[in-house]
Each structure stands twice: as structure tokens, then as C-alpha cells.
Amino acid sequence: MSSKLARFATVGGVGSCCVGVGWLMAFASGQPLAGWLCAAALGMGALYLDQSLKAASLLDWLRNDADGTAPRVVGIWADIAHQVDRALRRRERHTFAEQQRLTEFLTAVEASPIGVLMLDANQQITWCSRVAADHLGLDPKRDLGQPVTNLVRAPAFVEHMASAPSSEPVSFPGFNGSRLSALVQSYGEGLKLVLTQDITEHERAELMRRSFVANVSHEIRTPLTVLAGFVETMSQLPLSETERKRVLTLMTAQAQRMQTLVADLLTLAQLEGSPRPAADRWLRVSDLMQRAKADAVSLSAGRHALRFAGGEDAQIAGDETELHSALGNLVVNAVRYTASGGEVEVRWTWMADGWGVFQVRDTGIGIEREHLPRLTERFYRVDGSRSRETGGTGLGLSIVKHVLQRHGGEIDVQSEPGKGSCFRLLLPPSRVRRVSPSTSGEAQPVIDR
Ligand code: ADP
């Protein structure tokens, strides 16, 4: 009971008792009017006491945050208690709905790949999403209240925070060797919102794009410079017929080099920009072998022993031009990197688990172990001058890798310097099937995978 009301109740009760006693004395002394007045006063005192007690219990309930049900009171107090109770339940429902909304909002923020960090006017962390914590190496609970620049100490970030706000994001090394970008926005009274993003992949792609453009420019500039030199020579010097022919031959070679480069670049662009080849267009492996053989025979011009075997019982589901380009690139490389008198063998084999394999083996110069992981990178060459001399662009194996990936396959290389190389194109069971070798055209599938 509240002390004030308790005091009222006590005063009321004691007052009533006094008046009652007064009434008894007045009645006993023969003054009835005074007696009635005293009785009325006694009744009012009792009423006052009753109301005070109800108000006190109501106030007690309110003081305890209106926990549980309202006290059982009657009359106007019951009505007041009911209205207060309703208002409180309404507010409770509203608060619950707001909390739900806040939880949903925070869950959405947490689901974003962008990290969110909220700072107070002193740059102390007031909230941190899981992603921001991962980006910056923070603990979303433990680090609350800490100045962010005490925890994220990358100089670029610290400097940016000191000069923020800025409409430009800052990039800096993040936790775990990643590369991060952070955008700082001001809001409210000195509060700050920091949005973090992992840009490792983006920066890597940008670097690759820049080096690709630089490589292409370099590859084109060299033959172009040579061509321009020859044109100048021919236009300024009187050349004999023999000299003219020699210069024209050299010019043709340079022009061809540029043509091959542009063709390879277009092939790569097409491979990257088109959907995967359909898995229901079946090609005969023997046809692909025939085309590759024609390429090898023409390039080798009788300088190598060429062997082609297998594949009569196999079909591949995929794009004929792409698969010919992949196999052709390997066969041409095998011839180019094998000295006269060497051997080149192309074979189709089946693996026990149903994969089909094109194997191109040569007895050529071979490749040092440290180069193997990088062979399929664009413009990667083990020996640049040898590659260019033999008409290479440095894009061949990159094309092969793309083609294989688009057919769900893999490329595998084994090589030993001085002994030769073995390149294998592995195609998954979903893309290959056995057929019964037919002498009259259409081969019939015997196993569908
Ligand atoms: P390139 O047009 O230079 O041949 P590729 O992408 O086809 O480009 O090959 C990349 C590099 O791999 C080549 O420059 C060469 O050094 C090496 N290479 C490829 N195939 C062979 C092979 N059969 N024997 C030895 N080296 C090879």
C-alpha cells in the first residue's frame, strides 16, 4: 500500500473511530442530533477507508509494472483498473509487434553480404552485423562500446574514419588476407553507419582484366610494328624481286600471327559468353579424331611419327566446333613442341567409372614441374620465343580448359622435361556413351549414361 494512502486510511479510520466514540458519548448524554451527525461521520470515515484501500492496491499493482492481472476491486476503481489494464495490454501488443519488426529487419540486414556497423558520436560500436564482424575480425557482442579504430587498425581505414564523412569508399586489407571496402555515412547527431564489402574477387578480376588488355596490346603491337617496318622498307628502298618476295613472306607471317591471335581471342570471348553446349547432340569420337589427324599431318609434314587410336566405339554429347578446337590445340601443340623424328600419339580410352579420355602424348621437349599449374592461364608460356616462333598465341590451353569446363570435364597434364608430355581431356559419363562400331555410317548406342 502506498504510504500516502496508508496515511489517509489510518487518518480516516482513526477519525471515524473518534467520531463514533463521540456519537456514543453524545447519545449517552441525551443529544441525539449530535449522535446522528457522529454516525454519518463514522459512515463517511468507513467509506473513505474502503476507497483508500482499493486505490492503494491498484497503485501497488501499477507500481509493480502492472504485472499479472489487475487487483479485484469494485466500483469506479474496477473501471479504472480495467481501462488501465486494456491500455497496458494494447501497448504490450504494440511493443511486441515492433520488436518482431525490428528482429525481421535485423535478420534481413544479417542476410546481406554487405556488413553493417553502427557507431555512436565517439565512434564506439553500438551494433555490428555478423558479416561486418567477419570482415573486420570483430566480436559482435564483446566489442560493443569499443572505439572502432582501436580494433580495426588498417591505416587507410583509420585515416578515413578521421576525415569521414566522405562519399567515396575506402579500400584496405581486411581480416584473413581479404581486401575490403568501407563506406562511412553520417546520420542522426554525429552517429555513423559503416558499410563493409569484401572486394577481393572484384579486385582480382580487375587485375586480370588490366593484365589481359596489356597482354593483348603487347601481342598485337609486336607483329604490327614489324609489318609497319616492312611496309616502310618496301616503300622507300628499291628491292630486287627476290628481296621483295622474302619481305612479303615475312609480312604474311606477321599478318597470320595477328589473325591467329584475333581468332583465338574471339573463340575465348564466345566460350565465355555463350550457354553450355546441349547434352543431347551426339558426335562420333572417330570424326573428331579424323579432323585432329588432318591438322597434325598437315603441320608435321612428315617430320613426326603420328599415331591415332581408339574412339570407334564412343560418342560425345557437346559442341563439335569447341571439341575439335580443344583436341586440335593439344595435337598441334604436341607437334609444335616435339622435334623432328619424335612421336605423337592420340588415343581415346574408357575409364572404369565411365569417364571418356582423349590422351595426347608426345616425345617432345616436356615442361618443368613448376609451370604445370599455370599452363592454362591466358598468355602463359613456358618459353615465349619458342611459342611465338612456332605460331603460338599463349591462348591455346586456356581455350582447351574453357571447352572442357563447359562440357563438365577436366584437363590433366603430366610432363617431364626432355622426355615429353601427356595431356588428357577427361569427359564425364553424362557426356559420353559407348556405341557399337558400325561400318555404314550411323553408330548405334549400346550403353546410355
Ligand atoms: P602456345 O600458343 O604458346 O602454345 P598454349 O596455351 O597452347 O600456348 O600453351 C601454353 C604453353 O604450354 C606453351 O607456350 C608451351 O610452353 C607449353 N606447352 C603446351 N603444350 C606443350 C607440349 N606438348 N610440350 C611442351 N610444352 C607445351
Side-chain angles (χ1 to χ4, degrees):
M1 186 189 296
S2 87
S3 59
K4 204 170 174 185
L5 280 178
R7 202 170 63 239
F8 280 149
T10 315
V11 169
V14 172
S16 303
C17 287
C18 291
V19 174
V21 170
W23 178 80
L24 279 174
M25 284 172 63
F27 197 74
S29 64
Q31 292 185 4
L33 182 62
W36 285 115
L37 283 173
C38 282
L42 187 62
M44 283 179 68
L47 188 66
Y48 175 74
L49 180 64
D50 177 52
Q51 296 298 313
S52 300
L53 286 172
K54 284 172 182 160
S57 75
L58 197 60
L59 205 58
D60 259 1
W61 173 65
L62 289 174
R63 283 224 169 97
N64 285 325
D65 291 335
D67 220 9
T69 48
R72 287 170 168 268
V73 282
V74 288
I76 191 163
W77 295 111
D79 198 26
I80 291 173
H82 177 65
Q83 292 304 332
V84 168
D85 196 29
R86 269 188 55 183
L88 285 172
R89 301 300 151 223
R90 223 177 14 244
R91 170 103 36 106
E92 240 172 42
R93 279 198 299 277
H94 182 71
T95 310
F96 182 71
E98 289 293 309
Q99 262 172 354
Q100 288 268 88
R101 258 212 296 276
L102 181 65
T103 310
E104 276 166 22
F105 173 75
L106 290 179
T107 313
V109 172
E110 291 283 13
S112 160
I114 304 233
V116 179
L117 192 68
M118 291 165 79
L119 306 177
D120 65 13
N122 298 318
Q123 301 200 350
Q124 289 167 338
I125 301 169
T126 53
W127 190 77
C128 173
S129 75
R130 186 73 259 165
V131 175
D134 287 347
H135 283 166
L136 302 168
L138 303 174
D139 184 315
K141 288 204 178 103
R142 189 198 58 209
D143 294 335
L144 286 184
Q146 297 287 326
V148 68
T149 43
N150 282 6
L151 304 169
V152 183
R153 307 185 77 101
F157 178 76
V158 174
E159 202 176 302
H160 190 74
M161 288 306 296
S163 61
S166 155
S167 56
E168 288 297 310
V170 60
S171 71
F172 57 97
F175 198 58
N176 282 343
S178 59
R179 193 83 196 151
L180 295 179
S181 131
L183 181 67
V184 183
Q185 296 283 322
S186 290
Y187 70 102
E189 292 190 5
L191 308 179
K192 285 197 177 93
L193 183 71
V194 182
L195 302 171
T196 61
Q197 196 174 4
D198 190 330
I199 52 166
T200 318
E201 265 310 299
H202 174 78
E203 290 215 339
R204 204 178 61 84
E206 183 55 23
L207 193 72
M208 272 176 65
R209 191 190 65 77
R210 276 203 298 266
S211 84
F212 181 69
V213 171
N215 274 322
V216 171
S217 313
H218 175 75
E219 293 291 333
I220 287 183
R221 197 179 51 192
T222 314
L224 210 55
T225 311
V226 178
L227 265 179
F230 284 144
V231 169
E232 208 177 304
T233 309
M234 286 188 82
S235 62
Q236 289 181 358
L237 295 178
L239 300 176
S240 67
E241 187 55 24
T242 325
E243 284 169 334
R244 208 177 64 86
K245 271 193 182 147
R246 201 178 65 82
V247 168
L248 279 176
T249 310
L250 292 171
M251 286 173 80
T252 309
Q254 295 304 322
Q256 241 160 22
R257 188 172 150 191
M258 283 202 292
Q259 267 176 338
T260 316
L261 178 68
V262 171
D264 277 359
L265 285 171
L266 285 175
T267 306
L268 265 181
Q270 209 171 0
L271 289 176
E272 282 175 348
S274 56
R276 276 173 165 243
D280 56 358
R281 290 210 10 227
W282 292 95
L283 319 163
R284 281 190 291 210
V285 166
S286 50
D287 288 350
L288 289 169
M289 294 280 256
Q290 282 306 320
R291 289 182 67 182
K293 188 175 179 177
D295 294 344
V297 167
S298 115
L299 189 66
S300 166
R303 290 177 296 124
H304 306 87
L306 304 175
R307 259 199 302 279
F308 285 76
E312 299 81 8
D313 64 342
Q315 286 188 338
I316 305 179
D319 183 287
E320 186 173 1
T321 312
E322 289 183 22
L323 289 166
H324 169 241
S325 160
L327 186 60
N329 262 303
L330 292 191
V331 172
V332 166
N333 276 354
V335 173
R336 282 169 52 215
Y337 296 107
T338 301
S340 298
E343 291 171 19
V344 173
E345 184 195 67
V346 183
R347 182 179 287 279
W348 171 269
T349 51
W350 291 99
M351 288 170 78
D353 53 5
W355 284 62
V357 185
F358 275 121
Q359 186 170 290
V360 182
R361 187 188 291 278
D362 63 59
T363 55
I365 58 172
I367 306 161
E368 301 275 354
R369 180 187 283 268
E370 72 260 27
H371 297 290
L372 296 181
R374 300 195 59 192
L375 285 185
T376 55
E377 283 176 25
R378 292 168 187 190
F379 296 111
Y380 188 83
R381 292 163 162 124
V382 177
D383 178 349
S385 57
R386 185 175 186 129
S387 158
R388 287 189 190 89
E389 267 167 31
T390 55
T393 59
L395 294 173
L397 292 181
S398 180
I399 291 173
V400 176
K401 186 178 125 187
H402 263 80
V403 170
L404 262 285
Q405 277 177 346
R406 286 162 57 78
H407 287 80
E410 292 163 20
I411 178 169
D412 167 73
V413 192
Q414 282 169 6
S415 189
E416 210 177 316
K419 291 206 165 159
S421 312
C422 179
F423 285 77
R424 294 196 310 154
L425 304 184
L426 300 120
L427 289 148
S430 59
R431 289 271 182 180
V432 291
R433 68 180 182 186
R434 281 182 201 268
V435 292
S436 58
S438 129
T439 45
S440 61
E442 271 309 292
Q444 296 303 312
V446 292
I447 298 176
D448 262 337
R449 291 170 197 282

